[in-house]
Amino acid sequence: MRRFSQVDVFTDEFMKGNALAVVHDAEGLSTEEMTAFANWTNLAETTFLLPPRDPAADYRVRIFTTSRELPFAGHPTLGSARAWLDAGNTPREPGRLVQECGAGLVEVRRDGARLAFAAPPLVRGEPVEDVDGLAAALAIRPDEIVQARWTDNGPGWVAVLLHSAEAVLAVRPDYTRFGEFTDIGVVGPHRDGGDAAFEVRAFVNEGGVFGEDPVTGSLNASIAQWLIPAEIAQQQYVAAQGTVLGRQGRIHLALTGGQVWVGGDTVVGITGTVALPPVR
């Protein structure tokens, strides 16, 4: 029996963010066993906490979707950090955690009750050439796209900027026309006066199964790395995500000292133990 947590990420209200399953003390589990359990939870991601291999890290995490392992993902980073702290662990440096994952070391800092991670560098960030293909995938006209860029920090994101948050909320994608685009993020500005500057949506292909992710840290990280330097977004802003799905995700983005930080509230909603028998 291993300690188990379920954390809601990018929300201060349980069941309004993006859920994450966390298995603590995961030593001894094989990749096959982790993959099988992540598939069984049927959540966007499931993580497994392990002792670090790098002496600079506080803990190591392996991140799985229902069908594959990811080198990095945003809401699993914050949710895993919250679960690790909630289990009574203490970081080497007060107010700062270092997570080891497939993408390397990721710094997580505490900002009051909120956690924030340092956005990892993009592995691909050039403009998208096939704008017509993107428009077809999103079932919109090409002239509705303001700009489109690859914003891949591991999962394979391409991001599309539309004229408004209303346009983002109106998108009904045609998944049969995604083609080369595996995961597509869409972003558009809100009118002034609300609690969020931008609306974001994430359309993902998970092993041939398409759907919408409720709240997505990695996508918001890479969008901020695009919009802030381009002066499309201010150096500190809040993005909303999950509205269409009945969620109230809020992602806090900030550029400080040349580093983009991605923050959000986290709620530990479920704790207990889980039995993980060998896969047969």
Side-chain angles (χ1 to χ4, degrees):
M1 302 296 291
R2 303 171 194 267
R3 184 183 175 102
F4 175 80
S5 305
Q6 196 153 312
V7 186
D8 211 10
V9 184
F10 294 119
T11 182
D12 59 2
E13 183 180 350
F14 186 51
M15 299 190 297
K16 292 296 185 179
N18 198 359
L20 174 75
V22 183
V23 177
H24 302 247
D25 305 316
E27 304 98 303
L29 292 175
S30 67
T31 297
E32 185 182 17
E33 288 165 341
M34 292 180 184
T35 302
F37 184 67
N39 178 268
W40 179 84
T41 68
N42 202 33
L43 295 175
E45 280 97 15
T46 298
T47 62
F48 299 83
L49 298 179
L50 299 153
R53 292 173 175 167
D54 192 311
D58 289 296
Y59 61 91
R60 180 164 61 99
V61 65
R62 294 183 67 180
I63 305 168
F64 289 80
T65 70
T66 54
S67 64
R68 59 184 170 133
E69 184 171 6
L70 298 178
F72 167 78
H75 104 272
T77 292
L78 294 189
S80 296
R82 172 58 63 202
W84 188 82
L85 290 168
D86 190 67
N89 295 295
T90 303
R92 289 178 172 85
E93 184 179 328
R96 176 181 180 269
L97 297 83
V98 178
Q99 171 186 282
E100 181 182 352
C101 60
L105 298 181
V106 177
E107 183 178 353
V108 180
R109 68 182 184 185
R110 302 180 76 165
D111 181 11
R114 187 174 295 144
L115 297 172
F117 67 84
L122 299 181
V123 297
R124 187 177 185 185
E126 73 273 15
V128 175
E129 294 183 2
D130 187 12
V131 174
D132 289 347
L134 263 181
L138 296 173
I140 61 177
R141 300 188 313 273
D143 63 5
E144 294 181 73
I145 295 177
V146 178
Q147 294 185 49
R149 296 187 71 88
W150 289 98
T151 54
D152 184 10
N153 51 15
W157 293 110
V158 59
V160 178
L161 176 63
L162 302 184
H163 289 282
S164 68
E166 290 79 9
V168 171
L169 294 170
V171 169
R172 298 295 181 267
D174 182 353
Y175 291 115
T176 66
R177 304 189 70 176
F178 267 43
E180 67 168 316
F181 303 114
T182 311
D183 300 309
I184 301 176
V186 186
V187 57
H190 276 283
R191 296 186 178 93
D192 293 339
D195 71 330
F198 291 89
E199 187 74 31
V200 173
R201 295 177 70 189
F203 305 111
V204 299
N205 175 6
E206 188 50 58
V209 178
F210 289 90
E212 182 168 354
D213 192 51
V215 200
T216 318
S218 61
L219 172 62
N220 278 279
S222 61
I223 287 176
Q225 287 168 309
W226 166 29
L227 297 187
I228 295 176
E231 298 185 346
I232 297 170
Q234 295 184 352
Q235 292 200 352
Q236 185 171 330
Y237 71 91
V238 176
Q241 191 179 347
T243 307
V244 171
L245 302 176
R247 310 292 176 88
Q248 296 174 7
R250 293 296 183 270
I251 309 95
H252 297 256
L253 293 307
L255 177 63
T256 305
Q259 173 65 57
V260 169
W261 290 88
V262 184
D265 293 305
T266 50
V267 181
V268 179
I270 300 171
T271 60
T273 56
V274 59
L276 289 175
V279 175
R280 294 181 173 84

